[in-house]
Amino acid sequence: VPQSFQIWNSSGGSLPLNWNITGAPPWLKLGALSGTSDDSSDINTITVAPGISGFVAVGSPYSAVLSIAASNASNSPQTVAVTVNIVSQAPPEISTDPKALDISILYGSDTAGSIKIFNTGGKMLNWVASDTASWISLDTYKGSASTEKDTVAISFDTSSLSTENSPYSASIIVADADASNSPYTIPVTLNVLP
């Protein structure tokens, strides 16, 4: 998360403060490296943000000291200490609504339902779905979710089924290699009615 600090000329004199910053490491991004402040009302705000691509969590925390200098300032240089802590993001976690399906359908007819697949973990969920029965069809078998819920339509075909062997059981399986609870199984029960 970017933060900031401020530089200004507190002397009240007639000369402007021409400042410059040194000591910034490659992993730190500054909004400006030099500037001018005429007086105490002329405040220069410098944003400081980490360049995340240059970090690894193992090396955390990262520290640097910025030096702010002005040739005509009586208290030059001044320093600003910067510390960046890298926090590992939690893995994704698969969740669905509902967690199980129990469908009743008349023999020879088709019906449809749906599930919502969403992420209750940290990193992006890149999910892939599969099913274990020929009488189940999903309108999509993959997707991605951060905070939103992905709705997946499900159709059920009874043309090859019978009332005598009802109920039928199967599963819809949602997987992501990075998810903490992968694979995630949704039990499906299909009741074929006469």
Side-chain angles (χ1 to χ4, degrees):
V1 178
Q3 296 190 28
S4 64
F5 63 91
Q6 296 178 327
I7 302 172
W8 67 90
N9 184 355
S10 61
S11 72
S14 59
L15 294 176
L17 178 74
N18 298 306
W19 56 265
N20 63 82
I21 299 174
T22 57
W27 47 263
L28 199 62
K29 297 179 181 178
L30 301 182
L33 293 176
S34 62
T36 300
S37 172
D38 292 326
D39 52 44
S40 59
S41 65
D42 185 13
I43 298 174
N44 298 175
T45 299
I46 313 303
T47 58
V48 181
I52 297 299
S53 61
F55 292 119
V56 291
V58 175
S60 180
Y62 290 80
S63 298
V65 177
L66 305 179
S67 178
I68 306 165
S71 60
N72 60 338
S74 60
N75 61 343
S76 176
Q78 294 288 299
T79 59
V80 175
V82 180
T83 301
V84 177
N85 293 292
I86 306 301
V87 179
S88 296
Q89 192 174 15
E93 182 176 352
I94 303 166
S95 294
T96 64
D97 183 24
K99 298 183 182 301
L101 291 170
D102 192 336
I103 305 294
S104 296
I105 184 173
L106 292 174
Y107 172 73
S109 63
D110 297 334
T111 193
S114 67
I115 57 171
K116 294 183 185 298
I117 300 173
F118 54 100
N119 180 13
T120 51
K123 295 180 180 179
M124 176 72 72
L125 175 68
N126 298 301
W127 59 267
V128 176
S130 60
D131 57 69
T132 62
S134 60
W135 43 266
I136 298 176
S137 295
L138 310 183
D139 72 334
T140 183
Y141 284 86
K142 62 181 180 179
S144 298
S146 54
T147 58
E148 74 281 4
K149 295 184 177 182
D150 293 345
T151 300
V152 179
I154 309 168
S155 58
F156 302 92
D157 179 12
T158 64
S159 60
S160 62
L161 309 181
S162 67
T163 57
E164 291 81 5
N165 293 322
S166 180
Y168 291 84
S169 296
S171 298
I172 296 171
I173 301 167
V174 183
D176 176 348
D178 294 330
S180 60
N181 60 340
S182 180
Y184 180 101
T185 301
I186 305 166
V188 180
T189 300
L190 183 66
N191 302 285
V192 182
L193 307 177

mmCIF file of all heavy atoms in Angstrom, residues 44-64:
data_model
loop_
_atom_site.group_PDB
_atom_site.id
_atom_site.type_symbol
_atom_site.label_atom_id
_atom_site.label_comp_id
_atom_site.label_asym_id
_atom_site.label_seq_id
_atom_site.Cartn_x
_atom_site.Cartn_y
_atom_site.Cartn_z
ATOM 1 N N ASN A 44 5.619 19.757 -0.330
ATOM 2 C CA ASN A 44 5.805 18.735 -1.361
ATOM 3 C C ASN A 44 5.512 17.364 -0.751
ATOM 4 O O ASN A 44 6.173 16.948 0.197
ATOM 5 C CB ASN A 44 7.233 18.751 -1.887
ATOM 6 C CG ASN A 44 7.623 20.064 -2.565
ATOM 7 O OD1 ASN A 44 8.768 20.242 -2.946
ATOM 8 N ND2 ASN A 44 6.705 21.012 -2.702
ATOM 9 N N THR A 45 4.509 16.678 -1.274
ATOM 10 C CA THR A 45 4.149 15.340 -0.787
ATOM 11 C C THR A 45 4.765 14.294 -1.702
ATOM 12 O O THR A 45 4.522 14.298 -2.918
ATOM 13 C CB THR A 45 2.623 15.166 -0.730
ATOM 14 O OG1 THR A 45 2.075 16.140 0.176
ATOM 15 C CG2 THR A 45 2.259 13.769 -0.237
ATOM 16 N N ILE A 46 5.566 13.389 -1.121
ATOM 17 C CA ILE A 46 6.271 12.361 -1.885
ATOM 18 C C ILE A 46 5.640 11.006 -1.584
ATOM 19 O O ILE A 46 5.611 10.555 -0.433
ATOM 20 C CB ILE A 46 7.768 12.305 -1.505
ATOM 21 C CG1 ILE A 46 8.375 13.715 -1.483
ATOM 22 C CG2 ILE A 46 8.514 11.377 -2.452
ATOM 23 C CD1 ILE A 46 8.243 14.476 -2.766
ATOM 24 N N THR A 47 5.102 10.368 -2.603
ATOM 25 C CA THR A 47 4.536 9.035 -2.413
ATOM 26 C C THR A 47 5.650 7.989 -2.450
ATOM 27 O O THR A 47 6.627 8.125 -3.194
ATOM 28 C CB THR A 47 3.495 8.706 -3.488
ATOM 29 O OG1 THR A 47 4.102 8.811 -4.786
ATOM 30 C CG2 THR A 47 2.309 9.650 -3.421
ATOM 31 N N VAL A 48 5.474 6.968 -1.635
ATOM 32 C CA VAL A 48 6.434 5.871 -1.556
ATOM 33 C C VAL A 48 5.653 4.578 -1.726
ATOM 34 O O VAL A 48 4.681 4.324 -0.995
ATOM 35 C CB VAL A 48 7.172 5.857 -0.203
ATOM 36 C CG1 VAL A 48 8.187 4.727 -0.155
ATOM 37 C CG2 VAL A 48 7.844 7.199 0.051
ATOM 38 N N ALA A 49 6.053 3.749 -2.680
ATOM 39 C CA ALA A 49 5.349 2.495 -2.929
ATOM 40 C C ALA A 49 6.349 1.392 -3.226
ATOM 41 O O ALA A 49 7.358 1.627 -3.895
ATOM 42 C CB ALA A 49 4.374 2.645 -4.093
ATOM 43 N N PRO A 50 6.103 0.189 -2.735
ATOM 44 C CA PRO A 50 7.000 -0.921 -3.045
ATOM 45 C C PRO A 50 6.789 -1.410 -4.462
ATOM 46 O O PRO A 50 5.673 -1.411 -4.970
ATOM 47 C CB PRO A 50 6.599 -2.000 -2.028
ATOM 48 C CG PRO A 50 5.173 -1.691 -1.702
ATOM 49 C CD PRO A 50 5.032 -0.194 -1.804
ATOM 50 N N GLY A 51 7.879 -1.803 -5.107
ATOM 51 C CA GLY A 51 7.791 -2.461 -6.408
ATOM 52 C C GLY A 51 7.738 -3.958 -6.172
ATOM 53 O O GLY A 51 8.770 -4.607 -6.064
ATOM 54 N N ILE A 52 6.530 -4.505 -6.049
ATOM 55 C CA ILE A 52 6.332 -5.865 -5.557
ATOM 56 C C ILE A 52 7.118 -6.904 -6.344
ATOM 57 O O ILE A 52 7.586 -7.899 -5.809
ATOM 58 C CB ILE A 52 4.832 -6.227 -5.569
ATOM 59 C CG1 ILE A 52 4.058 -5.303 -4.608
ATOM 60 C CG2 ILE A 52 4.595 -7.677 -5.194
ATOM 61 C CD1 ILE A 52 4.500 -5.407 -3.176
ATOM 62 N N SER A 53 7.307 -6.685 -7.644
ATOM 63 C CA SER A 53 7.971 -7.693 -8.474
ATOM 64 C C SER A 53 9.413 -7.953 -8.042
ATOM 65 O O SER A 53 9.981 -8.979 -8.369
ATOM 66 C CB SER A 53 7.937 -7.277 -9.945
ATOM 67 O OG SER A 53 8.621 -6.044 -10.119
ATOM 68 N N GLY A 54 9.991 -7.046 -7.287
ATOM 69 C CA GLY A 54 11.378 -7.221 -6.866
ATOM 70 C C GLY A 54 11.541 -7.893 -5.524
ATOM 71 O O GLY A 54 12.648 -8.000 -5.009
ATOM 72 N N PHE A 55 10.437 -8.362 -4.963
ATOM 73 C CA PHE A 55 10.485 -8.929 -3.623
ATOM 74 C C PHE A 55 10.297 -10.437 -3.627
ATOM 75 O O PHE A 55 9.678 -11.009 -4.513
ATOM 76 C CB PHE A 55 9.373 -8.339 -2.751
ATOM 77 C CG PHE A 55 9.540 -6.891 -2.434
ATOM 78 C CD1 PHE A 55 8.585 -5.971 -2.836
ATOM 79 C CD2 PHE A 55 10.621 -6.441 -1.716
ATOM 80 C CE1 PHE A 55 8.707 -4.635 -2.533
ATOM 81 C CE2 PHE A 55 10.763 -5.108 -1.404
ATOM 82 C CZ PHE A 55 9.805 -4.207 -1.813
ATOM 83 N N VAL A 56 10.816 -11.075 -2.598
ATOM 84 C CA VAL A 56 10.450 -12.448 -2.244
ATOM 85 C C VAL A 56 10.160 -12.433 -0.760
ATOM 86 O O VAL A 56 10.800 -11.728 0.013
ATOM 87 C CB VAL A 56 11.574 -13.467 -2.567
ATOM 88 C CG1 VAL A 56 11.750 -13.632 -4.053
ATOM 89 C CG2 VAL A 56 12.891 -13.051 -1.915
ATOM 90 N N ALA A 57 9.162 -13.208 -0.332
ATOM 91 C CA ALA A 57 8.748 -13.176 1.066
ATOM 92 C C ALA A 57 9.870 -13.591 2.005
ATOM 93 O O ALA A 57 9.962 -13.135 3.136
ATOM 94 C CB ALA A 57 7.527 -14.077 1.263
ATOM 95 N N VAL A 58 10.772 -14.470 1.518
ATOM 96 C CA VAL A 58 11.860 -14.959 2.360
ATOM 97 C C VAL A 58 12.754 -13.813 2.816
ATOM 98 O O VAL A 58 13.304 -13.830 3.913
ATOM 99 C CB VAL A 58 12.686 -16.014 1.588
ATOM 100 C CG1 VAL A 58 13.893 -16.458 2.397
ATOM 101 C CG2 VAL A 58 11.818 -17.213 1.241
ATOM 102 N N GLY A 59 12.918 -12.789 1.984
ATOM 103 C CA GLY A 59 13.794 -11.678 2.317
ATOM 104 C C GLY A 59 13.167 -10.602 3.185
ATOM 105 O O GLY A 59 13.812 -9.625 3.531
ATOM 106 N N SER A 60 11.901 -10.747 3.544
ATOM 107 C CA SER A 60 11.190 -9.738 4.321
ATOM 108 C C SER A 60 11.689 -9.706 5.761
ATOM 109 O O SER A 60 12.022 -10.747 6.325
ATOM 110 C CB SER A 60 9.692 -10.065 4.296
ATOM 111 O OG SER A 60 8.950 -9.130 5.020
ATOM 112 N N PRO A 61 11.760 -8.516 6.422
ATOM 113 C CA PRO A 61 11.426 -7.200 5.875
ATOM 114 C C PRO A 61 12.574 -6.590 5.080
ATOM 115 O O PRO A 61 13.734 -6.928 5.283
ATOM 116 C CB PRO A 61 11.151 -6.383 7.147
ATOM 117 C CG PRO A 61 12.062 -6.993 8.167
ATOM 118 C CD PRO A 61 12.083 -8.472 7.847
ATOM 119 N N TYR A 62 12.228 -5.675 4.178
ATOM 120 C CA TYR A 62 13.202 -4.919 3.407
ATOM 121 C C TYR A 62 13.323 -3.523 4.022
ATOM 122 O O TYR A 62 12.313 -2.909 4.370
ATOM 123 C CB TYR A 62 12.752 -4.795 1.949
ATOM 124 C CG TYR A 62 12.805 -6.090 1.180
ATOM 125 C CD1 TYR A 62 11.804 -7.046 1.301
ATOM 126 C CD2 TYR A 62 13.860 -6.356 0.312
ATOM 127 C CE1 TYR A 62 11.847 -8.232 0.590
ATOM 128 C CE2 TYR A 62 13.916 -7.535 -0.408
ATOM 129 C CZ TYR A 62 12.911 -8.477 -0.264
ATOM 130 O OH TYR A 62 12.960 -9.644 -0.967
ATOM 131 N N SER A 63 14.542 -3.033 4.147
ATOM 132 C CA SER A 63 14.756 -1.723 4.777
ATOM 133 C C SER A 63 15.641 -0.840 3.903
ATOM 134 O O SER A 63 16.511 -1.331 3.182
ATOM 135 C CB SER A 63 15.412 -1.886 6.153
ATOM 136 O OG SER A 63 14.579 -2.626 7.032
ATOM 137 N N ALA A 64 15.402 0.455 3.985
ATOM 138 C CA ALA A 64 16.220 1.437 3.284
ATOM 139 C C ALA A 64 16.167 2.758 4.057
ATOM 140 O O ALA A 64 15.239 2.987 4.840
ATOM 141 C CB ALA A 64 15.720 1.642 1.853
#
